[in-house]
Amino acid sequence: MNMLNKMALSAVSGVLLGCSQPAQAQSDDSVVVLQYHHVSSSTPAVTSIDPETFREHLQYLKDNNFNVIDITTARDAIEKNGELPEKAVVITFDDGYQNVYENAVDALEEFEMPYTVFVNPELMRKHSGHYMGWEELKDIQQNGATIANHGQTHAHLIRQQPGESDEEWRQRMHDDIVTAQKAIDENLGQQQKYFAYPYGEYNNELRALLKEWGFHAFAQHSGPWSRWSEDTVITRFPASGIYANLKTLKTKLNSKAMPVVDYQPEEPLVAHSNAQPTISVTLQEGETLNDMRTDALRCFAGGSVLEPKWESETRFSIMLKNDINIGRSRVNCTAPSASGTGYYWYSVALIRPNESGSWPD
Ligand SMILES: [Zn+2]
């Protein structure tokens, strides 16, 4: 149903019900994308979920009427203003570990939930056994999985190498990303183009290349995927490590997209000296913003809770209280919905390098 029909229909039902309350906010038009890595109890805790807990997630999604849909259905509905099911969820796995094949695939098939696996073809070749191979990927693809691109080598793509020209860097990006897609397409048939940034790291130059090559690209900071998302910075909720906890995951599964139309800093990478970057966010006027309890909007950075400074009714800024850590971090902002149906969620990704311009994995 297109937007006009939707509006017409809600106007009609308002008339039929004889109600004068404001129409229900259309903020359900978003998708919570979950991001997993390992499904195992013997891999690094920070990127792992044990198989039992993973099954609990699926059971929770089923019992609470979440609709797990495939990535292309989600993309098409968001971009073409199509209809998304209520409580839409997309499940993704980064890196394509063999333990996903061993410990997650059967449960996903049993629950009939589609999912996407982002793979690194060169790493698959070098470390067979650790990662799923093409045979395993073919097998899961036939059972409803989408296989997508995580680059050949899982590199810190935005780090230019010493002495590397811009043109050489672009060529290296092409070799890492387009060549990986070629390997995927050759082995599995031509696929839709989805890319997950290794480590969630991107900048404007890399985004522009991905756009030029026709990719949608997924990051690692959080928030629902919605019509306000940029198609080369699609956010996901990590669901491994400490984030595997169902109690906190519930809030995220029920979250709604903030109607963000502009934000600063635009790129995650800040200067080393910029230890407390000011964050500013501009929201779009309308029904969704009207449903946001902006008075109760709070942001979270490291351990601190930050109150926004409202510069206008649609624009707020956040001053950090502490220096951000070296490496990747996020500032998450949430605001309860006035209709009491969950939290609006928005996250800003930051990368602060050390003095020599690098940062840890
Ligand atoms: Zn990865």
Side-chain angles (χ1 to χ4, degrees):
M1 194 185 297
N2 68 32
M3 201 58 162
L4 275 176
N5 284 342
K6 252 188 204 171
M7 284 161 64
L9 195 70
S10 65
V12 168
S13 49
V15 170
L16 288 178
L17 294 168
C19 63
S20 54
Q21 294 109 313
Q24 191 72 28
Q26 297 290 318
S27 49
D28 289 306
D29 299 342
S30 63
V31 179
V32 167
V33 187
L34 297 177
Q35 183 207 9
Y36 296 95
H37 295 90
H38 293 284
V39 182
S40 166
S41 41
S42 58
T43 42
V46 65
T47 49
S48 298
I49 180 168
D50 65 75
E52 297 72 36
T53 311
F54 180 71
R55 178 173 262 279
E56 281 169 29
H57 283 195
L58 303 189
Q59 190 70 50
Y60 178 82
L61 293 170
K62 181 176 183 234
D63 292 347
N64 292 277
N65 304 316
F66 285 94
N67 285 297
V68 178
I69 59 175
D70 75 81
I71 196 166
T72 299
T73 304
R75 181 200 66 190
D76 288 350
I78 287 168
E79 293 191 346
K80 295 171 188 158
N81 236 331
E83 243 189 316
L84 276 168
E86 291 281 296
K87 303 173 84 166
V89 171
V90 164
I91 294 176
T92 67
F93 296 87
D94 281 13
D95 312 332
Y97 294 114
Q98 178 70 18
N99 55 48
V100 169
Y101 190 71
E102 285 162 6
N103 301 327
V105 161
D106 285 350
L108 287 156
E109 289 178 9
E110 182 190 321
F111 282 88
E112 297 182 344
M113 293 175 175
Y115 55 98
T116 296
V117 182
F118 291 98
V119 301
N120 305 104
E122 192 169 319
L123 297 185
M124 284 164 54
R125 195 166 58 241
K126 284 187 179 156
H127 308 278
S128 64
H130 187 58
Y131 299 98
M132 282 184 262
W134 296 115
E135 285 313 309
E136 285 94 349
L137 294 175
K138 246 176 239 168
D139 178 26
I140 63 172
Q141 185 190 24
Q142 278 159 9
N143 286 295
T146 300
I147 312 305
N149 191 336
H150 200 26
Q152 287 283 30
T153 58
H154 210 284
H156 291 277
L157 296 174
I158 63 172
R159 281 187 202 160
Q160 218 147 324
Q161 290 171 350
E164 186 179 45
S165 70
D166 290 353
E167 188 46 44
E168 285 163 342
W169 175 79
R170 277 195 290 274
Q171 185 58 46
R172 186 160 61 86
M173 296 303 101
H174 189 275
D175 292 346
D176 202 283
I177 298 167
V178 177
T179 311
Q181 192 63 43
K182 214 170 152 222
I184 293 168
D185 291 349
E186 276 170 9
N187 283 281
L188 302 173
Q190 179 111 28
Q191 304 294 305
Q192 300 287 324
K193 288 182 180 172
Y194 301 109
F195 183 73
Y197 296 108
Y199 312 100
E201 295 172 1
Y202 60 88
N203 59 17
N204 286 346
E205 287 75 19
L206 183 54
R207 286 182 58 191
L209 288 177
L210 283 159
K211 185 121 193 141
E212 182 187 324
W213 297 330
F215 284 90
H216 282 66
F218 291 76
Q220 293 190 18
H221 54 302
S222 52
W225 182 11
S226 76
R227 63 186 180 277
W228 293 289
S229 303
E230 299 161 288
D231 57 15
T232 51
V233 190
I234 300 169
T235 46
R236 299 185 285 172
F237 287 99
S240 306
I242 55 166
Y243 304 110
N245 181 335
L246 251 182
K247 263 189 206 155
T248 52
L249 195 64
K250 282 176 193 173
T251 309
K252 297 164 187 170
L253 285 166
N254 289 297
S255 66
K256 300 151 169 291
M258 265 190 214
V260 173
V261 288
D262 192 38
Y263 58 95
Q264 294 290 332
E266 193 184 359
E267 296 183 286
L269 187 63
V270 296
H272 170 74
S273 57
N274 190 8
Q276 297 187 8
T278 298
I279 288 155
S280 59
V281 176
T282 305
L283 303 166
Q284 187 176 52
E285 280 180 14
E287 266 181 88
T288 304
L289 182 57
N290 293 344
D291 186 51
M292 258 176 70
R293 291 261 324 274
T294 51
D295 60 308
L297 186 143
R298 295 291 178 274
C299 299
F300 307 88
S304 43
V305 181
L306 306 162
E307 274 195 46
K309 177 172 171 257
W310 286 93
E311 286 153 20
S312 74
E313 288 193 352
T314 57
R315 186 180 162 82
F316 66 89
S317 60
I318 297 290
M319 312 288 279
L320 300 181
K321 284 183 193 159
N322 303 304
D323 288 2
I324 53 170
N325 292 334
I326 300 296
R328 291 181 296 279
S329 59
R330 307 170 182 122
V331 178
N332 293 336
C333 299
T334 65
S337 81
S339 47
T341 51
Y343 282 84
Y344 289 91
W345 190 293
Y346 185 70
S347 177
V348 177
L350 296 168
I351 305 169
R352 185 177 170 224
N354 59 26
E355 279 166 340
S356 54
S358 189
W359 58 90
D361 277 358

